[in-house]
Amino acid sequence: MGFAVMTMTDAAAARVNQIVSNSGADAKGIRVGIKKGGCAGMEYTIDLVTEANAKDDLIEHAGARVWIEPSAVLYLLGTQMDFEITKMRSGFTFVNPNQTSACGCGESVELKPADLAALAKQREAETHA
C-alpha cells in the first residue's frame, strides 16, 4: 500500500460528494492546493475538478475524489482534511503537521515543507512495529 499525501475524514468525503453531486455531470471531485496570500503567508485553495490533471496526486475516501496540486504536495504531506459546521462558519479544515503558525482569523497559515527523512523513519518504524 502506497503512502497517501493527505487523508480525509468521513465528513470531508461527504461534503466533497455533495459538492460533486450539486455541480453537474462534468464534476469529478475537488483539487486542493496552496497559494501565497493572507496575513500568515499561505492559503489553502479548493477548486472543482471537471478534468483531472495527470500530474496531480489523487486521494479517495468513501467515493470522494480529491486531487492535490504537485506544488502543494510537500506542504500537505501528513495532512488530514476535515469538514466542520459551527455557529460561525462551515468549511473544510486542515490538520497539517507542516503548519508552523496561523493568523488570528484562521484564513491563512504559515507552512514549512515536510521533512522527508523524518517521514521515512516514521514509516519504517510503523512497518517494524
Side-chain angles (χ1 to χ4, degrees), residues 68-122:
I68 301 165
E69 294 178 357
S71 61
V73 167
L74 277 179
Y75 296 101
L76 294 176
L77 282 171
T79 297
Q80 181 184 60
M81 181 179 164
D82 196 7
F83 182 78
E84 68 178 15
I85 299 172
T86 67
K87 289 182 180 184
M88 300 299 286
R89 67 177 291 275
S90 67
F92 290 106
T93 61
F94 298 88
V95 179
N96 188 336
N98 307 305
Q99 180 177 317
T100 57
S101 67
C103 67
C105 66
E107 292 298 316
S108 66
V109 294
E110 183 178 345
L111 301 172
K112 64 177 176 55
D115 182 343
L116 297 178
L119 283 172
K121 285 181 185 177
Q122 178 184 354

Side-chain angles (χ1 to χ4, degrees), residues 42-59:
M42 299 182 110
E43 298 174 328
Y44 295 102
T45 62
I46 298 176
D47 298 298
L48 186 67
V49 173
T50 56
E51 187 173 321
N53 181 340
K55 293 181 180 180
D56 288 351
D57 278 271
L58 172 64
I59 62 166

Side-chain angles (χ1 to χ4, degrees), residues 8-24:
M8 74 179 113
T9 64
D10 292 342
R15 181 62 179 140
V16 170
N17 285 330
Q18 185 180 42
I19 290 168
V20 169
S21 68
N22 292 335
S23 297

